[in-house]
Amino acid sequence: MKKLVRIFLLVLCGASVCSPAGACTNFIVTKGASADGSVMVSYAADSHALYGALYLTPRGRWKAGTRLPVYDWDSGRYLCDIPQAAATYGTVGNMNEHSLIIAETTFGGRSELEDPTGRIDYGSLIYITLQRARTAREAIALIAELADTYGYASSGESFSIADPGEAWIMELIGKGFEDDGRGGNARRGIVWVARRIPDGYVSAHANQSRITTFPLDDPENCLYSPDVISFAREMGYYEGPDETFSFCDAYAPADFATIRGCDARVWSFFRTVADGMDRYTDYAMGYNPDNRMPLWVKPRAKVEPKVVFDCMRDHYEGTPMDMTADIGAGGHGCPYRWRPMTFEVNGREYLNERAAATQQTGFWFVAQARPELPDDMGILWFGVDDAATSCLTPIYCSATQVPECFSEENGSMLEYSPTSAFWLFNRIAQFAYLFYDRVAPVVRASADEWETAQLEAVRKVDAEALGMSPGKRAKYLTAYSTRTAQKLFDRWNELDKYLLVKFIDGNVKGEDAAGFIDNGNGRGIPGRIEQPGYNDRWKRAVAADHGDVLKVVE
């Protein structure tokens, strides 16, 4: 997603032809690489202006001549009307009732290829396609058809497209504008390529195009627009033979900014689940762009869903880019750097790291298409706000109702709501950012406990639902999904109160053997209060900066 994040490109890319949004992250796990045989896709919808909510569209049947209005997902700007399909599938979030999953990250690419006359943006491509396609291959064909028919209204995109059988990466970009003499665009449409991730492998993308060369005669594993190479030649982006053509090098060349701010997130995921990734550390840091990572890797062991959940919480811990380890983390090891993305000292420019977990996440999920179960039993593990200080809860893909705490109608970015999960999780996150080394571990332990319990609970729900008719099953799974989400909301409300009582004013109140805050004499006066202060790195930095004034003199 690209909402309001172009400052990242302006500052980091400089005169580069690339224009990444630097905003979203997708991890993809094929069924042969997952511990439970599911296909998994993760997504963080990151934007400083996006309200975290769960979108739902019921299935429908439509009269001939019905029109569907199209609005730009980022801005809400009206784009056009298109003919409505005769029948549409139900969707919840970025998943439909047949367990088709579509997620995205914006890579931007060459700015001259944006089409000001385009009428289908990347968000509309996702949600319209989810309503009309059953499989990943159908989705790829439909995305191309829609963009070519109505014109593409966004910049370069990478899509994760998965169903219960397979997972694909599709990358596309517009073709710019050329007047056709009638006020239209002679270049309307997109150039694109889609690659199927081999079963047993994992892949990822994070705001930088990642497809390089691709097989030209393997439609089982690679699909592409007929002019993807010839158009690059026409535009002067490529001169070599077809066999060595690289999509990303032609349409979205990488530079320091896109590698360090984008591909580094892919590298961190890869190194968590696969061996040998430290050989690409210099690439991830932007120091050696020739040492490019592969598009997919084979994990050292089958990947558990909880591992994918936790990879979305990454801040480069344990790497040279560890955001908790330098003085920028402050006196409490906070792994966040407020925008803008760069700063200048004595004429030298420096960057703020961009990790998978980030403060501006609107919503995030890990979707599971599960081939061993009916297609209507896929699960969207859904959460709102920063992944590191929030929690996922299971929403079945056949759900026909959204929990109140996740409703689009419940609050907004400009309207606080006490019953909104987005505002509740943000409130806890803001407190955690102040005392991260104290508060965040408590929040993370609560999230781990909840998610582990729910992963176990859905097994029993699955077994119960399998014996039902599809209609009865949808009602049962909807009730379970909404009820469980509201339980999480109630639990997090209690956590919010507990954190404030325990950590108010920089103090840490002691607890008794049962885990309750120590009531001392029983009259509401704390029995024990600790004041841990700041970490040693911070103390040394303060002493070096201002010690002459702060030193104690005998």
Side-chain angles (χ1 to χ4, degrees):
M1 181 194 299
K2 59 180 182 296
K3 296 170 72 90
L4 305 182
V5 206
R6 288 190 179 270
I7 190 167
F8 178 85
L9 356 168
L10 296 175
V11 179
L12 275 182
C13 286
S16 167
V17 293
C18 69
S19 56
C24 301
T25 305
N26 285 186
F27 302 147
I28 309 167
V29 181
T30 59
K31 62 181 180 179
S34 67
D36 61 2
S38 66
V39 179
M40 289 184 276
V41 176
S42 75
Y43 178 47
D46 300 334
S47 164
H48 295 274
L50 177 68
Y51 186 68
L54 181 59
Y55 315 138
L56 184 142
T57 305
R59 68 173 68 164
R61 292 191 176 276
W62 308 91
K63 295 180 180 179
T66 301
R67 307 288 290 182
L68 175 69
V70 177
Y71 297 90
D72 181 82
W73 190 45
D74 282 345
S75 67
R77 177 174 62 95
Y78 170 77
L79 294 173
C80 68
D81 284 352
I82 67 173
Q84 178 61 283
T88 54
Y89 304 126
T91 72
V92 59
N94 289 55
M95 196 171 192
N96 76 12
E97 61 181 287
H98 300 293
S99 286
L100 175 65
I101 307 161
I102 307 178
E104 59 77 35
T105 73
T106 300
F107 63 78
R110 295 182 182 272
S111 58
E112 70 268 24
L113 297 183
E114 295 188 29
D115 176 8
T117 67
R119 290 295 175 262
I120 296 282
D121 70 298
Y122 77 98
S124 299
L125 285 178
I126 292 174
Y127 297 110
I128 293 172
T129 299
L130 285 171
Q131 294 174 49
R132 300 184 180 191
R134 290 180 65 110
T135 69
R137 290 173 189 264
E138 287 182 9
I140 291 167
L142 183 56
I143 286 171
E145 177 187 344
L146 288 168
D148 286 342
T149 301
Y150 301 102
Y152 182 54
S154 301
S155 60
E157 282 288 330
S158 299
F159 288 111
S160 299
I161 306 175
D163 60 31
E166 54 187 11
W168 292 71
I169 292 179
M170 180 183 190
E171 295 194 334
L172 59 88
I173 194 168
K175 295 192 282 190
F177 177 81
E178 181 180 303
D179 196 328
D180 63 4
R182 302 184 301 275
N185 184 5
R187 292 186 190 159
R188 183 173 62 191
I190 56 174
V191 286
W192 60 273
V193 60
R195 298 204 65 183
R196 187 177 74 88
I197 303 166
D199 197 30
Y201 286 73
V202 303
S203 189
H205 52 92
N207 305 117
Q208 168 57 26
S209 172
R210 300 203 61 240
I211 297 179
T212 56
T213 57
F214 52 90
L216 301 176
D217 190 19
D218 184 10
E220 183 65 21
N221 298 296
C222 184
L223 303 167
Y224 54 90
S225 58
D227 61 344
V228 66
I229 301 175
S230 61
F231 181 74
R233 286 201 184 96
E234 176 188 333
M235 297 297 292
Y237 304 151
Y238 182 68
E239 296 179 349
D242 289 1
E243 292 74 18
T244 59
F245 175 77
S246 165
F247 182 90
C248 70
D249 289 324
Y251 294 113
D255 61 9
F256 175 81
T258 64
I259 294 171
R260 183 66 170 263
C262 304
D263 273 353
R265 285 175 268 158
V266 174
W267 170 78
S268 194
F269 168 62
F270 280 1
R271 75 181 294 274
T272 301
V273 301
D275 293 327
M277 293 309 299
D278 285 347
R279 76 183 71 164
Y280 300 106
T281 300
D282 60 349
Y283 173 80
M285 297 186 73
Y287 301 155
N288 186 5
D290 294 331
N291 189 27
R292 181 177 277 162
M293 295 182 297
L295 181 56
W296 45 65
V297 297
K298 191 173 185 65
R300 70 178 67 91
K302 301 284 188 179
V303 180
E304 296 281 354
K306 186 68 169 76
V307 170
V308 183
F309 296 1
D310 292 342
C311 283
M312 294 297 288
R313 297 180 163 112
D314 180 67
H315 304 109
Y316 300 124
E317 287 88 350
T319 78
M321 296 177 283
D322 190 335
M323 298 174 73
T324 68
D326 68 282
I327 196 61
H332 296 288
C334 182
Y336 294 92
R337 306 294 182 268
W338 316 131
R339 300 302 184 255
M341 292 296 296
T342 63
F343 59 96
E344 187 175 303
V345 177
N346 296 329
R348 181 66 185 262
E349 192 173 33
Y350 299 87
L351 62 84
N352 288 315
E353 303 287 5
R354 166 57 162 101
T358 186
Q359 63 270 20
Q360 75 266 20
T361 299
F363 65 83
W364 66 293
F365 65 73
V366 176
Q368 285 187 282
R370 305 188 293 169
E372 78 283 3
L373 294 171
D375 288 350
D376 63 355
M377 291 181 66
I379 297 181
L380 184 81
W381 295 89
F382 186 79
V384 290
D385 193 38
D386 180 355
T389 50
S390 63
C391 195
L392 295 173
T393 192
I395 306 290
Y396 278 85
C397 70
S398 54
T400 57
Q401 181 182 343
V402 167
E404 180 192 10
C405 61
F406 292 143
S407 172
E408 291 182 79
E409 308 303 321
N410 187 3
S412 73
M413 284 297 284
L414 300 177
E415 178 188 5
Y416 177 84
S417 169
T419 57
S420 160
F422 178 78
W423 283 113
L424 173 61
F425 280 91
N426 264 282
R427 193 165 61 240
I428 287 179
Q430 302 310 304
F431 192 42
Y433 298 159
L434 295 175
F435 306 106
Y436 203 83
D437 54 351
R438 302 173 195 173
V439 176
V442 179
V443 178
R444 177 63 180 272
S446 298
D448 288 345
E449 182 181 5
W450 170 267
E451 290 169 356
T452 300
Q454 295 313 310
L455 284 162
E456 183 62 33
V458 297
R459 297 179 185 176
K460 299 177 182 178
V461 174
D462 291 344
E464 185 73 20
L466 274 174
M468 301 177 181
S469 66
K472 185 176 180 181
R473 184 162 61 227
K475 292 180 181 179
Y476 172 72
L477 296 177
T478 297
Y480 174 78
S481 300
T482 55
R483 182 174 64 250
T484 304
Q486 289 300 142
K487 285 182 179 178
L488 172 62
F489 179 82
D490 293 341
R491 181 176 178 143
W492 237 246
N493 252 322
E494 293 305 310
L495 177 63
D496 182 36
K497 299 171 187 174
Y498 167 82
L499 294 172
L500 182 60
V501 171
K502 183 174 176 66
F503 297 108
I504 192 171
D505 294 335
N507 299 318
V508 180
K509 295 184 178 71
E511 297 185 0
D512 60 25
F516 296 101
I517 296 176
D518 190 353
N519 195 13
N521 59 12
R523 300 179 65 85
I525 300 172
R528 289 177 295 134
I529 294 180
E530 298 176 359
Q531 295 165 328
Y534 299 93
N535 60 40
D536 288 340
R537 177 187 286 270
W538 182 252
K539 293 175 194 175
R540 289 193 295 269
V542 171
D545 177 69
H546 205 49
D548 290 344
V549 173
L550 299 177
K551 65 183 178 183
V552 175
V553 179
E554 293 183 3

